[in-house]
Amino acid sequence: MGFRLEPRISTPAWLNVALSLAAVLAALVLCAGLIALAGANVIGAYAIMFESAFGDVYALTETLVKATPLVLTGLAVAVAFRAKFWNIGAEGQLLAGAVVGCWVGGFPHVPGPIAIALMLIAGAAGGALAALVPALLRVRLKVDDVVSSLLINSIVYYAMMALIEGPWKDRMSGYPNSPPIQDAANFPILMEGTRLHLGVVFAALAVPLVWLLMRRTTLGFAINAVGENAEASAYGGIRVDRVLLTAAAISGGLAGLAGICEVGGIHFQVMGEISTGYGYTGIVIAMLARLNPLGVIPAAVFFAAVMTGAEAMSRATGVPVFLAQVIQGTALITMLVALLFTAYRIRRTGGPAGVRAT
Amino acid sequence: MSGLLEQLFQVGFLAALIRIATPLMLATLGEMLSERAGVLNLGIEGIMLIGAMAGFCVAYFSGSLWLGVGAAVLAGMVLAALHALLTVSFGLSQHVSGIGVTLLSTGLAFFIYRLVFGQPSQPPSVPPFQTVPIPGLSAIPVIGTAVFNQYILVYVAMLLVPVMAFILTHTPWGLSVRMVGENPHAAESAGVSVAVKRWQAVVIGGGLMGAAGAFLSLAQFNAFTFGVINGRGWVAIALVVFGQWRPWRCAGGALMFAFIDALQLRLQASNLGQHVPYETFLILPFLLTIVAMASVSRNAIAPAALLKPFRKEER
């Protein structure tokens, strides 16, 4: 063919960043076709999306509010995938965290800071437990973690709905919601007149903490080692099963925190729409970040902007709001293709030079 | 409770069970074929959804249900081809590619449906497939009415089980598909193109997944709703494991799941359902699917080359 793929020894850092940007750009270009198909002006539609996500201070805070659960689910998936624990269950773990944390947030007569701390702990524990189920099934019974974590998403969702339609239904409102958490447990608002809440700080703190965990601790080293080569790790004295379970618990805990941030900062109760697929978007974010915790922030902000932007763009142009979901799926695929360039470099091979310059 | 037990053996229950099993059989056989060639297709959930959407839209505007089924099969094949391109030709992660295909297909299905129909207060519907009794056989008491007075797609799905079993074990094509899933290097030295066989298996499997989606929107329900697939694709993947990658066992798994699903539907309508939120019963099929998968996974023997990309120069 005139070209040949050649394995790369290592990937320079700038290339990782460049490829993520290229993947996002390619996704936006590909999805432009759908905007045109819907009869809208492509540049105009993207301009509205950008404007409504970053145009003024309020828009910016709304994007950060949306990015908060996405940072946490992105980190959750990144930690799990580093260990090659295929956790597709961040969605269910988020819901589990929201339910347990919201229940704790409803305890009366607890002072604010303690109530918030208890909610965080309970939410993380709920998410961790939900993640330990597929991890234990894999370690003990060799059950495929992808399938079990996906099925558990449905189980957790229906269990949550059954609770808020049944015994946990808020008698005051009569709607399928849980009772609200105590006022003292509501996350403080950071900026007057916006919804920017304390959860943003938790998400921002989680990023360097997870980075330190993965890069500077023995556990992080073990998680990476198990993901790279489980057999060699076991040979080297790492207890693979225990590392997998720990990674699962950390991953689920982070997803649970995402749920608690939504309860404590936005909804103040559990309801059916507590998550709009944040767990699945977390997979896209983790991949775009190349499983690097630091990369999760820009990726999460980007998809938060796509989500808030798509709503405004849909109202203004009539392009269906589901464009946001198409962009997510396309970006995951373009990122995956971009990975080819990190593992391989394209080399011209011999033969008549310049003849096949395609 | 005794009333419930009586209901289980009624014609209506059996017929419902067969109907619920049909899309699962189609999807499970499609996934199984793909996996036998060595390619896990996590795009199944989205591919079924896009099949349901494409089938419904084409049937709605053409007035032909069969044209709808054809469109669903085609849509399924196109998205499966994307998965084949990424995983077979490029050798990329089957897990991530599959999730990507599901996210993309889901978004596309919703996007196109909203673009075509807007947000009507009443969801548009089509006159669904009618049941076609098989002369003679449908006269058998109970079984006849339940099994042999069904939609044509039900018969297709039932026939597909022995056909798939025969193809995989008794035809050169089936043997080469199994070969590229078990030992691609041996297949390549025997002159079988690994890439071609994997492409074929993935794309045909995608067609079956699309048909499964069309069954849901054109026979079981007569409309497209956003929750029409509702995890059935993930269940199909679990059923392939439960069925040990064999057509007959996979079909048995689909029937078992359908039994649980039909049962929980009856429970929703029963006295108990008056006091317990219906979502409680919806947990059952998913929970039991995990239990079923856990019961066989320890001894399950997946195709040896499943998840492993194949590049000629690497050994």
Side-chain angles (χ1 to χ4, degrees), chain B residues 143 182 251 299:
Chain B
I143 300 283
E182 293 291 343
N299 303 315

Side-chain angles (χ1 to χ4, degrees), chain B residues 210-224:
Chain B
F215 181 86
L216 287 166
S217 63
L218 296 178
Q220 201 158 336
F221 314 111
N222 54 351
F224 174 80

